[in-house]
mmCIF file with all atom_site columns, all heavy atoms in Angstrom:
data_model
loop_
_atom_site.group_PDB
_atom_site.id
_atom_site.type_symbol
_atom_site.label_atom_id
_atom_site.label_alt_id
_atom_site.label_comp_id
_atom_site.label_asym_id
_atom_site.label_entity_id
_atom_site.label_seq_id
_atom_site.pdbx_PDB_ins_code
_atom_site.Cartn_x
_atom_site.Cartn_y
_atom_site.Cartn_z
_atom_site.occupancy
_atom_site.B_iso_or_equiv
_atom_site.pdbx_formal_charge
_atom_site.auth_seq_id
_atom_site.auth_comp_id
_atom_site.auth_asym_id
_atom_site.auth_atom_id
_atom_site.pdbx_PDB_model_num
ATOM 1   N N   . THR W 1 102 ? 73.989 100.575 108.719 1.00 96.00 ? 102 THR W N   1
ATOM 2   C CA  . THR W 1 102 ? 73.154 101.060 109.920 1.00 96.00 ? 102 THR W CA  1
ATOM 3   C C   . THR W 1 102 ? 74.047 101.532 110.926 1.00 96.00 ? 102 THR W C   1
ATOM 4   O O   . THR W 1 102 ? 75.253 101.356 111.019 1.00 96.00 ? 102 THR W O   1
ATOM 5   C CB  . THR W 1 102 ? 72.267 99.990  110.332 1.00 96.00 ? 102 THR W CB  1
ATOM 6   O OG1 . THR W 1 102 ? 73.106 98.969  110.961 1.00 96.00 ? 102 THR W OG1 1
ATOM 7   C CG2 . THR W 1 102 ? 71.447 99.156  109.239 1.00 96.00 ? 102 THR W CG2 1
ATOM 8   N N   . GLN W 1 103 ? 73.431 102.082 111.975 1.00 95.00 ? 103 GLN W N   1
ATOM 9   C CA  . GLN W 1 103 ? 74.056 102.617 113.161 1.00 95.00 ? 103 GLN W CA  1
ATOM 10  C C   . GLN W 1 103 ? 74.881 101.460 113.903 1.00 95.00 ? 103 GLN W C   1
ATOM 11  O O   . GLN W 1 103 ? 75.912 101.510 114.188 1.00 95.00 ? 103 GLN W O   1
ATOM 12  C CB  . GLN W 1 103 ? 73.027 103.160 114.208 1.00 95.00 ? 103 GLN W CB  1
ATOM 13  C CG  . GLN W 1 103 ? 73.687 103.697 115.503 1.00 95.00 ? 103 GLN W CG  1
ATOM 14  C CD  . GLN W 1 103 ? 72.801 103.412 116.620 1.00 95.00 ? 103 GLN W CD  1
ATOM 15  O OE1 . GLN W 1 103 ? 71.956 102.486 116.691 1.00 95.00 ? 103 GLN W OE1 1
ATOM 16  N NE2 . GLN W 1 103 ? 72.882 104.134 117.668 1.00 95.00 ? 103 GLN W NE2 1
ATOM 17  N N   . THR W 1 104 ? 74.207 100.309 113.899 1.00 93.00 ? 104 THR W N   1
ATOM 18  C CA  . THR W 1 104 ? 74.763 99.162  114.523 1.00 93.00 ? 104 THR W CA  1
ATOM 19  C C   . THR W 1 104 ? 76.109 98.842  113.797 1.00 93.00 ? 104 THR W C   1
ATOM 20  O O   . THR W 1 104 ? 77.142 98.494  114.421 1.00 93.00 ? 104 THR W O   1
ATOM 21  C CB  . THR W 1 104 ? 73.983 97.866  114.662 1.00 93.00 ? 104 THR W CB  1
ATOM 22  O OG1 . THR W 1 104 ? 72.665 98.277  115.337 1.00 93.00 ? 104 THR W OG1 1
ATOM 23  C CG2 . THR W 1 104 ? 74.538 96.778  115.398 1.00 93.00 ? 104 THR W CG2 1
ATOM 24  N N   . THR W 1 105 ? 76.046 98.663  112.416 1.00 94.00 ? 105 THR W N   1
ATOM 25  C CA  . THR W 1 105 ? 77.082 98.101  111.631 1.00 94.00 ? 105 THR W CA  1
ATOM 26  C C   . THR W 1 105 ? 78.299 99.075  111.601 1.00 94.00 ? 105 THR W C   1
ATOM 27  O O   . THR W 1 105 ? 79.337 98.741  111.619 1.00 94.00 ? 105 THR W O   1
ATOM 28  C CB  . THR W 1 105 ? 76.623 97.808  110.281 1.00 94.00 ? 105 THR W CB  1
ATOM 29  O OG1 . THR W 1 105 ? 75.337 96.930  110.332 1.00 94.00 ? 105 THR W OG1 1
ATOM 30  C CG2 . THR W 1 105 ? 77.613 97.149  109.442 1.00 94.00 ? 105 THR W CG2 1
ATOM 31  N N   . LEU W 1 106 ? 77.967 100.336 111.415 1.00 96.00 ? 106 LEU W N   1
ATOM 32  C CA  . LEU W 1 106 ? 79.028 101.376 111.066 1.00 96.00 ? 106 LEU W CA  1
ATOM 33  C C   . LEU W 1 106 ? 79.464 102.205 112.220 1.00 96.00 ? 106 LEU W C   1
ATOM 34  O O   . LEU W 1 106 ? 80.476 102.850 112.271 1.00 96.00 ? 106 LEU W O   1
ATOM 35  C CB  . LEU W 1 106 ? 78.458 102.319 110.031 1.00 96.00 ? 106 LEU W CB  1
ATOM 36  C CG  . LEU W 1 106 ? 78.178 101.674 108.652 1.00 96.00 ? 106 LEU W CG  1
ATOM 37  C CD1 . LEU W 1 106 ? 77.687 102.790 107.577 1.00 96.00 ? 106 LEU W CD1 1
ATOM 38  C CD2 . LEU W 1 106 ? 79.324 100.855 108.231 1.00 96.00 ? 106 LEU W CD2 1
ATOM 39  N N   . ALA W 1 107 ? 78.542 102.280 113.342 1.00 95.00 ? 107 ALA W N   1
ATOM 40  C CA  . ALA W 1 107 ? 79.022 103.134 114.504 1.00 95.00 ? 107 ALA W CA  1
ATOM 41  C C   . ALA W 1 107 ? 78.934 102.540 115.867 1.00 95.00 ? 107 ALA W C   1
ATOM 42  O O   . ALA W 1 107 ? 79.315 103.285 116.808 1.00 95.00 ? 107 ALA W O   1
ATOM 43  C CB  . ALA W 1 107 ? 77.934 104.305 114.593 1.00 95.00 ? 107 ALA W CB  1
ATOM 44  N N   . VAL W 1 108 ? 78.631 101.286 115.983 1.00 95.00 ? 108 VAL W N   1
ATOM 45  C CA  . VAL W 1 108 ? 78.535 100.721 117.273 1.00 95.00 ? 108 VAL W CA  1
ATOM 46  C C   . VAL W 1 108 ? 79.408 99.351  117.305 1.00 95.00 ? 108 VAL W C   1
ATOM 47  O O   . VAL W 1 108 ? 80.376 99.219  118.149 1.00 95.00 ? 108 VAL W O   1
ATOM 48  C CB  . VAL W 1 108 ? 77.142 100.323 117.773 1.00 95.00 ? 108 VAL W CB  1
ATOM 49  C CG1 . VAL W 1 108 ? 77.122 99.536  119.057 1.00 95.00 ? 108 VAL W CG1 1
ATOM 50  C CG2 . VAL W 1 108 ? 76.484 101.645 117.958 1.00 95.00 ? 108 VAL W CG2 1
ATOM 51  N N   . VAL W 1 109 ? 79.122 98.415  116.553 1.00 92.00 ? 109 VAL W N   1
ATOM 52  C CA  . VAL W 1 109 ? 79.691 96.975  116.586 1.00 92.00 ? 109 VAL W CA  1
ATOM 53  C C   . VAL W 1 109 ? 81.253 97.191  116.284 1.00 92.00 ? 109 VAL W C   1
ATOM 54  O O   . VAL W 1 109 ? 81.943 96.388  117.116 1.00 92.00 ? 109 VAL W O   1
ATOM 55  C CB  . VAL W 1 109 ? 79.117 96.097  115.651 1.00 92.00 ? 109 VAL W CB  1
ATOM 56  C CG1 . VAL W 1 109 ? 79.854 94.713  115.552 1.00 92.00 ? 109 VAL W CG1 1
ATOM 57  C CG2 . VAL W 1 109 ? 77.670 95.782  116.065 1.00 92.00 ? 109 VAL W CG2 1
ATOM 58  N N   . PRO W 1 110 ? 81.682 97.941  115.410 1.00 91.00 ? 110 PRO W N   1
ATOM 59  C CA  . PRO W 1 110 ? 83.197 98.003  115.176 1.00 91.00 ? 110 PRO W CA  1
ATOM 60  C C   . PRO W 1 110 ? 83.794 98.597  116.405 1.00 91.00 ? 110 PRO W C   1
ATOM 61  O O   . PRO W 1 110 ? 85.072 98.261  116.765 1.00 91.00 ? 110 PRO W O   1
ATOM 62  C CB  . PRO W 1 110 ? 83.348 99.036  114.024 1.00 91.00 ? 110 PRO W CB  1
ATOM 63  C CG  . PRO W 1 110 ? 82.040 98.934  113.302 1.00 91.00 ? 110 PRO W CG  1
ATOM 64  C CD  . PRO W 1 110 ? 80.926 98.738  114.320 1.00 91.00 ? 110 PRO W CD  1
ATOM 65  N N   . LEU W 1 111 ? 83.237 99.235  117.277 1.00 91.00 ? 111 LEU W N   1
ATOM 66  C CA  . LEU W 1 111 ? 83.653 99.890  118.556 1.00 91.00 ? 111 LEU W CA  1
ATOM 67  C C   . LEU W 1 111 ? 83.617 98.825  119.652 1.00 91.00 ? 111 LEU W C   1
ATOM 68  O O   . LEU W 1 111 ? 84.534 98.686  120.576 1.00 91.00 ? 111 LEU W O   1
ATOM 69  C CB  . LEU W 1 111 ? 83.165 101.160 118.977 1.00 91.00 ? 111 LEU W CB  1
ATOM 70  C CG  . LEU W 1 111 ? 83.335 102.251 117.951 1.00 91.00 ? 111 LEU W CG  1
ATOM 71  C CD1 . LEU W 1 111 ? 82.476 103.475 118.218 1.00 91.00 ? 111 LEU W CD1 1
ATOM 72  C CD2 . LEU W 1 111 ? 84.709 102.840 118.159 1.00 91.00 ? 111 LEU W CD2 1
ATOM 73  N N   . LEU W 1 112 ? 82.639 98.062  119.679 1.00 90.00 ? 112 LEU W N   1
ATOM 74  C CA  . LEU W 1 112 ? 82.341 97.105  120.795 1.00 90.00 ? 112 LEU W CA  1
ATOM 75  C C   . LEU W 1 112 ? 83.266 95.961  120.590 1.00 90.00 ? 112 LEU W C   1
ATOM 76  O O   . LEU W 1 112 ? 83.948 95.345  121.491 1.00 90.00 ? 112 LEU W O   1
ATOM 77  C CB  . LEU W 1 112 ? 80.972 96.450  120.768 1.00 90.00 ? 112 LEU W CB  1
ATOM 78  C CG  . LEU W 1 112 ? 79.935 97.582  121.309 1.00 90.00 ? 112 LEU W CG  1
ATOM 79  C CD1 . LEU W 1 112 ? 78.424 96.880  121.077 1.00 90.00 ? 112 LEU W CD1 1
ATOM 80  C CD2 . LEU W 1 112 ? 80.240 97.915  122.802 1.00 90.00 ? 112 LEU W CD2 1
ATOM 81  N N   . ASN W 1 113 ? 83.370 95.500  119.396 1.00 81.00 ? 113 ASN W N   1
ATOM 82  C CA  . ASN W 1 113 ? 84.155 94.210  118.963 1.00 81.00 ? 113 ASN W CA  1
ATOM 83  C C   . ASN W 1 113 ? 85.666 94.705  118.542 1.00 81.00 ? 113 ASN W C   1
ATOM 84  O O   . ASN W 1 113 ? 85.972 94.713  117.423 1.00 81.00 ? 113 ASN W O   1
ATOM 85  C CB  . ASN W 1 113 ? 83.454 93.476  117.785 1.00 81.00 ? 113 ASN W CB  1
ATOM 86  C CG  . ASN W 1 113 ? 84.065 92.039  117.686 1.00 81.00 ? 113 ASN W CG  1
ATOM 87  O OD1 . ASN W 1 113 ? 85.068 91.794  118.160 1.00 81.00 ? 113 ASN W OD1 1
ATOM 88  N ND2 . ASN W 1 113 ? 83.415 91.293  116.846 1.00 81.00 ? 113 ASN W ND2 1
ATOM 89  N N   . LYS W 1 114 ? 86.397 95.006  119.646 1.00 73.00 ? 114 LYS W N   1
ATOM 90  C CA  . LYS W 1 114 ? 87.722 95.515  119.353 1.00 73.00 ? 114 LYS W CA  1
ATOM 91  C C   . LYS W 1 114 ? 88.610 94.543  118.584 1.00 73.00 ? 114 LYS W C   1
ATOM 92  O O   . LYS W 1 114 ? 89.539 94.923  117.988 1.00 73.00 ? 114 LYS W O   1
ATOM 93  C CB  . LYS W 1 114 ? 88.351 95.864  120.708 1.00 73.00 ? 114 LYS W CB  1
ATOM 94  C CG  . LYS W 1 114 ? 87.620 97.095  121.369 1.00 73.00 ? 114 LYS W CG  1
ATOM 95  C CD  . LYS W 1 114 ? 88.285 97.411  122.658 1.00 73.00 ? 114 LYS W CD  1
ATOM 96  C CE  . LYS W 1 114 ? 87.533 98.579  123.356 1.00 73.00 ? 114 LYS W CE  1
ATOM 97  N NZ  . LYS W 1 114 ? 86.115 98.277  123.598 1.00 73.00 ? 114 LYS W NZ  1
ATOM 98  N N   . SER W 1 115 ? 88.440 93.245  118.785 1.00 75.00 ? 115 SER W N   1
ATOM 99  C CA  . SER W 1 115 ? 89.265 92.176  118.011 1.00 75.00 ? 115 SER W CA  1
ATOM 100 C C   . SER W 1 115 ? 88.939 92.271  116.580 1.00 75.00 ? 115 SER W C   1
ATOM 101 O O   . SER W 1 115 ? 89.680 91.749  115.771 1.00 75.00 ? 115 SER W O   1
ATOM 102 C CB  . SER W 1 115 ? 88.913 90.800  118.571 1.00 75.00 ? 115 SER W CB  1
ATOM 103 O OG  . SER W 1 115 ? 87.612 90.424  118.335 1.00 75.00 ? 115 SER W OG  1
ATOM 104 N N   . ALA W 1 116 ? 87.946 92.944  116.117 1.00 73.00 ? 116 ALA W N   1
ATOM 105 C CA  . ALA W 1 116 ? 87.540 92.877  114.679 1.00 73.00 ? 116 ALA W CA  1
ATOM 106 C C   . ALA W 1 116 ? 88.755 93.749  113.884 1.00 73.00 ? 116 ALA W C   1
ATOM 107 O O   . ALA W 1 116 ? 88.660 93.432  112.677 1.00 73.00 ? 116 ALA W O   1
ATOM 108 C CB  . ALA W 1 116 ? 86.237 93.548  114.457 1.00 73.00 ? 116 ALA W CB  1
#
Side-chain angles (χ1 to χ4, degrees):
T102 68
Q103 179 215 28
T104 302
T105 307
L106 299 181
V108 175
V109 172
L111 292 165
L112 288 178
N113 191 348
K114 297 179 177 59
S115 61

